[in-house]
Amino acid sequence: MPEGDTVWLAARRLDDALAGRVLTVSDFRVPQLATVDLTGRRVLAVVARGKHLLTRVEGGLTVHTHFRMDGAFRLFRPGTPWRGGPAWQVRLVLGNEEWTAVGFRLPVLELLPTERETDVVGHLGPDVLGPDWDLATAISNLRAAPNREVGSALLDQRNLAGLGNLYRIEALYLRGVSPWTPVADVADLEALVRLARRLILSSRDRADGRQLLERHVFERQGRPCRRCGRIIRVAEQGDPGFARVTYWCAGCQPGPAPVGSVRRGSTPSPGGGRAAARYRG
């Protein structure tokens, strides 16, 4: 599943290509929106809210999309071939005289009044990459469930939005906290959240848009820890239907661990080690 920095970057690129320009192409390739035509309307802005994209157009309408596991937008010059997947995976095409934005494999695609955006993003906590970021609110949200495993709590977008699997795993490792530690037992919860946000901000601000380059534990299962030499473990964490593949080093992150955690030779679930059938985002 794309991290918040990937979604933020997609919003920036789409905003650069579409905002302020009148749509000359509008093609919704989902049954419930098949008759919608936005041509002739000006795009006002494309913004990210957590892992959601909101494309606002004239007339008080917003196109709401979410990538979930495999969705993506690609930008093309008019008349050039589309790359990113077969034509049957295209769910949305919005274009103007200069750019065509093609949405592939979008599991969430809906049109709603702009004034009702809170219906789809109002449940989210403060956005780690947004202007609404508020550390105190995020900490308060996390502490509201003191017995919850911190690894799961950090991924719940209702607590703080935009943080994904990669950065919460790396932040937990760097702070020496087991993902299965109850929130109430984390020695310095604020420092953990600050670090996770700093990691994702660093990735967002890379000129090439690439994510965190040095991974200490993420997708390194079965290999030795770079600090202590212990073998990196992997296990699923979270409620059924929401479980995520979690990596950690028992030597550098002492504390609770799941029963039967895998130590060697395991492989991530399809999708780059991400195993959520559903998503609280």
Side-chain angles (χ1 to χ4, degrees):
M1 181 180 297
E3 301 275 336
D5 56 326
T6 301
V7 180
W8 183 91
L9 182 61
R12 188 185 72 178
R13 290 172 173 169
L14 288 169
D15 189 72
D16 289 344
L18 301 178
R21 298 184 174 96
V22 174
L23 291 172
T24 57
V25 178
S26 170
D27 186 2
F28 288 79
R29 300 187 182 184
V30 292
Q32 66 271 27
L33 298 175
T35 61
V36 171
D37 184 4
L38 298 180
T39 57
R41 297 176 186 254
R42 189 179 305 275
V43 175
L44 304 179
V46 182
V47 300
R49 178 73 175 88
K51 297 183 181 182
H52 299 250
L53 280 175
L54 303 170
T55 302
R56 298 166 181 156
V57 299
E58 285 181 326
L61 294 175
T62 294
V63 181
H64 168 232
T65 55
H66 195 302
F67 292 157
R68 293 276 174 88
M69 296 295 291
D70 301 311
F73 268 104
R74 300 285 185 267
L75 287 169
F76 306 96
R77 292 295 185 181
T80 60
W82 297 348
R83 300 178 304 278
W88 60 266
Q89 291 184 347
V90 175
R91 299 291 179 266
L92 174 64
V93 185
L94 296 176
N96 51 49
E97 294 181 352
E98 297 185 47
W99 290 101
T100 301
V102 182
F104 292 90
R105 302 172 299 279
L106 298 175
V108 176
L109 172 57
E110 56 186 333
L111 187 68
L112 66 153
T114 300
E115 63 184 15
R116 293 184 55 190
E117 287 179 356
T118 55
D119 290 355
V120 293
V121 297
H123 66 289
L124 298 175
D127 190 338
V128 291
L129 297 178
D132 67 315
W133 172 247
D134 186 289
L135 177 63
T137 298
I139 297 299
S140 177
N141 291 343
L142 291 166
R143 287 179 173 158
N147 296 323
R148 190 176 187 185
E149 295 169 351
V150 67
S152 294
L154 287 172
L155 274 183
D156 192 331
Q157 303 294 291
R158 297 169 296 186
N159 291 329
L160 62 163
L163 191 66
N165 209 24
L166 168 60
Y167 296 105
R168 64 107 186 188
I169 284 173
E170 292 295 322
L172 286 165
Y173 170 82
L174 292 171
R175 289 294 304 172
V177 177
S178 166
W180 284 268
T181 303
V183 168
D185 293 343
V186 177
D188 193 337
L189 190 60
E190 288 193 13
L192 174 62
V193 174
R194 287 181 189 275
L195 175 59
R197 181 170 183 260
R198 190 160 66 246
L199 291 175
I200 197 170
L201 279 171
S202 175
S203 177
R204 183 201 69 177
D205 294 338
R206 291 180 187 274
D208 58 6
R210 298 178 65 184
Q211 288 184 332
L212 186 71
L213 295 180
E214 184 179 12
R215 299 181 181 185
H216 299 87
V217 288
F218 186 81
E219 294 186 342
R220 296 194 66 247
Q221 70 277 12
R223 284 180 272 180
C225 171
R226 294 192 173 107
R227 290 202 299 203
C228 75
R230 294 277 291 272
I231 297 301
I232 302 302
R233 298 183 179 188
V234 60
E236 289 194 1
Q237 181 180 30
D239 299 331
F242 297 95
R244 301 297 298 276
V245 174
T246 299
Y247 309 85
W248 84 108
C249 170
C252 295
Q253 297 168 267
V259 176
S261 56
V262 179
R263 291 184 59 88
R264 298 176 183 270
S266 59
T267 56
S269 300
R274 295 159 293 205
R278 294 178 291 165
Y279 178 60
R280 290 173 175 151

